[in-house]
Amino acid sequence: MIQFDTIDYLRSGDARQRQAYEVLTSYAVLDCLTEFTPVLTGTIPLQIYVETSDLDISCYWQKKADFLSTLQKCFGPYEGFAVRELHLAGSETIIANFFLQDFEVEVFGQNRPSKEQHAYRHMLIEYQILSVKGEEFREQVIALKKQGYKTEPAFAKLLGLAGDPYKALLQVSLDDLP
């Protein structure tokens, strides 16, 4: 299993993953966020990205003001920098977006440990599903994403999951996969 705690696995990945590694390290993105236990999540780690896929980074903040200050200090100068605050699933959430080279970067922070956030949990489940279902399934996910599907709805459609795809995916048992 890939160790998603670091981005080291990207160095030996495909061209887009190696490019992501280079961007994240040359701009010291994760280093800047160290105190917020950053974890790269989303489609690039799983090789189910499309051309417009961004680099999603989940963070855990305990003091909102410190997180906001770090985002502004580290990423404020970058193209397209914007921060918004909202509530998602009952959690106060801060999202920063900006561009580095060919990537849009989205830093997602909640006052919840990074590995307990839905993005990380979804990624682990998706990784396990891809491991079981194989290359053809991965290609089907990518095809749906190219048609405009978000990742979790694409998985839900292919697996025949009913209801909210984001919630349904968290309930998937590998033993029950079709």
Side-chain angles (χ1 to χ4, degrees):
M1 179 167 173
I2 294 175
Q3 296 300 312
F4 292 109
D5 296 3
T6 71
I7 60 168
D8 292 341
Y9 62 92
L10 295 175
R11 282 189 296 191
S12 60
D14 66 20
R16 189 72 171 154
Q17 288 178 317
R18 291 190 309 272
Q19 184 183 20
Y21 179 84
E22 181 60 33
V23 166
L24 291 171
T25 55
S26 65
Y27 287 91
V29 174
L30 299 180
D31 291 340
C32 190
L33 296 168
T34 297
E35 71 179 282
F36 306 105
T37 58
V39 178
L40 181 66
T41 59
T43 61
I44 291 180
L46 299 177
Q47 293 179 307
I48 54 171
Y49 52 83
V50 293
E51 188 176 311
T52 57
S53 292
D54 59 3
L55 293 170
D56 295 308
I57 302 167
S58 294
C59 292
Y60 169 43
W61 53 263
Q62 295 179 10
K63 294 181 181 174
K64 181 169 83 168
D66 292 348
F67 186 59
L68 286 166
S69 174
T70 297
L71 291 171
Q72 183 64 48
K73 180 180 74 176
C74 292
F75 311 119
Y78 296 128
E79 178 189 346
F81 178 78
V83 175
R84 62 189 191 278
E85 297 181 44
L86 57 148
H87 279 80
L88 289 176
S91 293
E92 193 171 6
T93 303
I94 298 168
I95 300 173
N97 294 86
F98 53 95
F99 291 88
L100 296 174
Q101 295 181 21
D102 293 337
F103 289 98
E104 181 175 1
V105 179
E106 181 171 281
V107 179
F108 179 99
Q110 290 183 326
N111 186 9
R112 165 191 290 192
S114 302
K115 291 183 178 180
E116 293 177 16
Q117 293 177 23
H118 286 179
Y120 184 78
R121 294 176 56 208
H122 285 154
M123 182 179 68
L124 289 184
I125 292 166
E126 291 160 0
Y127 174 77
Q128 293 171 338
I129 293 168
L130 290 166
S131 296
V132 169
K133 301 292 276 179
E135 181 62 19
E136 183 179 331
F137 185 87
R138 184 182 79 80
E139 290 173 9
Q140 291 172 336
V141 170
I142 293 169
L144 287 175
K145 290 180 64 57
K146 286 180 178 177
Q147 294 174 30
Y149 279 77
K150 293 287 193 181
T151 304
E152 288 77 3
F155 271 81
K157 178 177 178 61
L158 292 171
L159 295 172
L161 302 177
D164 180 333
Y166 297 89
K167 291 178 182 176
L169 198 57
L170 293 173
Q171 305 302 316
V172 168
S173 168
L174 296 179
D175 295 332
D176 297 335
L177 289 179

